Amino acid sequence: MAPRALDYESLNENVKKVQYAVRGELYLRASELQKEGKKDATTGDFYLILHTSILNLLTNLYQLLLVSIIFTNVGNPHALGQKPLTFPRQVVALCQAPFLLDDPNVGLFFPADAIAKAKHYLAMTIGGLGAYTDSRGMPGVRKEVADFIERRDGYPSDPELIFLTDGASKGVMQILNTIIRGESDGILVPVPQYPLYSAAISLFGGSLVPYFLEETANWGLDVNDLRQSVAQARSKGITVRAMVIINPGNPTGQCLSEANLREILHFCYQENLVLLGDEVYQQNIYQDERPFISARKVLMGMGPPVSKEVQLISFHTVSKGYWGECGQRGGYFEMTNIPPKTVDEIYKVASVSLSPNVPAQIFMGLMVNPPKPGDISYEQFIRERNVICNFTEGAMYSFPQIRLPPKAIDAAKMAGKVPDVFYCLKLLEATGISTVPGSGFGQKEGEFHLRTTILPAEEDMPEIMDSFKKFNDEFMEQYEGHGGYSRL
């Protein structure tokens, strides 16, 4: 019998090429351990699990091991204890159950400004949250996003060039799908990079063109390295069509300076590249030395011809910052200098999915238009926001380098594992800390890293880091006999 369409050997080869380390081998193993009975740090349930080998089953019981599974592999704040902001949840709750607005006692349970906001958003819908909206999102919410961008950047924004999406990732995938025509089309992507980009480029049949960030220069980038990456790609017959920047960086956490952004935009102008600005962490800035500056603000400030010619797509989300509403799946992208016919084509493809999810559109509206001074809910909103800012102070991720001893690298090869995957698996098994190996983000040859979030509750961090350090010291002692190899 010939292979059927969904037998593995018959699948689209691009699907098989997709790799997504954030939910890869380490995450799957952590999930297995959780199912086997180890403690999930977010549930508080404690279980014992018996670890044996087949040989030990025939001889004696092995040792009992109690370990907490701490999912620091993904930026998922609420799963690690961050409480949702009250005001947006109140508004969306009223929108989901509009009959509550007709209850004469509604004011006893919801503040007046939340009631007014719910009515404001319901008036934008045709049939409430259960009805489709425009495929670009509700016009009223897109106008709120445009107003937010204008306040942030100091330049007007057109709501007709803003599309609301089911999280920023969906927007990124839609734009990459629009740009990539085949394997000879290349996308410049920073290394280390967020695996969404390598996965989506593989899925759409394009070619990833890496440019390396320099760790010793606080993960900065050199335009000369960009030129070299483009030249190397062209020598292989690849047409580089777009460049991705992740600002602030994921997994590296760096913020691009205004001067660096100007260099990048001028480079895109010279090389005729679309710039894709992943700016989803723009609220995760808790230092004054290097504030977030949007690529659009810098572009507009450069003036013609650059400000009129460089094509820019900017992305944002409700999943990060002090909102952390990952499960709501709300995002947007804004287009700058994109021809009307191209906008029409992007609209057409968005229409295939009919509508972005409606509650998430409201969350986006509330994020860009939150309570203001004088509003009833303002003080509580600011109080809750400040607590969360301290909770995530510094950034959402850390990306330390692991200096693995040669014996550890040899042991990884014997086990059929990439060295940093080997290290992270050992860390998971010993401590329950689930991280992501640096190889999933890309790194220089011979270097090894891991990415961890710093989202666990502040009071839990000392114990987590003590466990991390104890494991690392023992690992280095096992494979080298001394602890001189690791930065951790």
Side-chain angles (χ1 to χ4, degrees), residues 352-418:
V352 173
S353 299
L354 294 174
S355 165
N357 91 73
V358 183
Q361 295 183 49
I362 296 173
F363 271 101
M364 177 56 71
L366 291 164
M367 186 184 82
V368 298
N369 188 20
K372 298 175 178 62
D375 291 349
I376 296 170
S377 297
Y378 177 75
E379 294 298 331
Q380 181 181 9
F381 178 81
I382 294 299
R383 190 165 58 248
E384 292 176 345
R385 186 190 72 178
N386 288 344
V387 168
I388 293 170
C389 286
N390 290 332
F391 174 69
T392 61
E393 187 173 356
M396 193 172 283
Y397 304 107
S398 178
F399 195 66
Q401 183 179 141
I402 312 299
R403 294 176 178 170
L404 295 176
K407 289 181 182 178
I409 295 172
D410 291 341
K413 291 178 180 177
M414 289 289 292
K417 302 292 183 185
V418 176

Side-chain angles (χ1 to χ4, degrees), residues 116-254:
K117 272 286 190 186
K119 292 178 178 178
H120 165 73
Y121 286 115
L122 285 170
M124 294 183 186
T125 70
I126 302 175
L129 272 61
Y132 291 131
T133 69
D134 187 290
S135 299
R136 297 166 296 181
M138 290 185 282
V141 175
R142 289 189 281 122
K143 176 63 165 60
E144 290 180 324
V145 172
D147 291 343
F148 157 77
I149 293 170
E150 182 172 355
R151 291 193 304 272
R152 184 194 67 189
D153 295 343
Y155 298 95
S157 174
D158 185 353
E160 296 300 303
L161 298 177
I162 294 169
F163 282 44
L164 305 182
T165 55
D166 294 340
S169 298
K170 281 293 181 69
V172 168
M173 295 183 72
Q174 183 175 346
I175 295 302
L176 286 174
N177 194 25
T178 303
I179 293 170
I180 295 171
R181 302 166 300 184
E183 62 182 356
S184 63
D185 283 344
I187 310 294
L188 271 171
V189 177
V191 175
Q193 55 102 20
Y194 179 50
L196 163 67
Y197 293 96
S198 54
I201 292 166
S202 294
L203 184 62
F204 299 136
S207 295
L208 186 147
V209 180
Y211 66 91
F212 287 92
L213 303 178
E214 184 51 57
E215 186 170 7
T216 57
N218 193 28
W219 298 111
L221 67 86
D222 187 331
V223 172
N224 291 324
D225 292 337
L226 293 177
R227 293 193 178 96
Q228 186 176 1
S229 294
V230 171
Q232 289 176 348
R234 286 173 178 164
S235 71
K236 299 174 184 177
I238 295 173
T239 301
V240 181
R241 288 172 54 80
M243 175 181 174
V244 174
I245 58 170
I246 306 176
N247 182 39
N250 177 12
T252 54
Q254 91 289 358

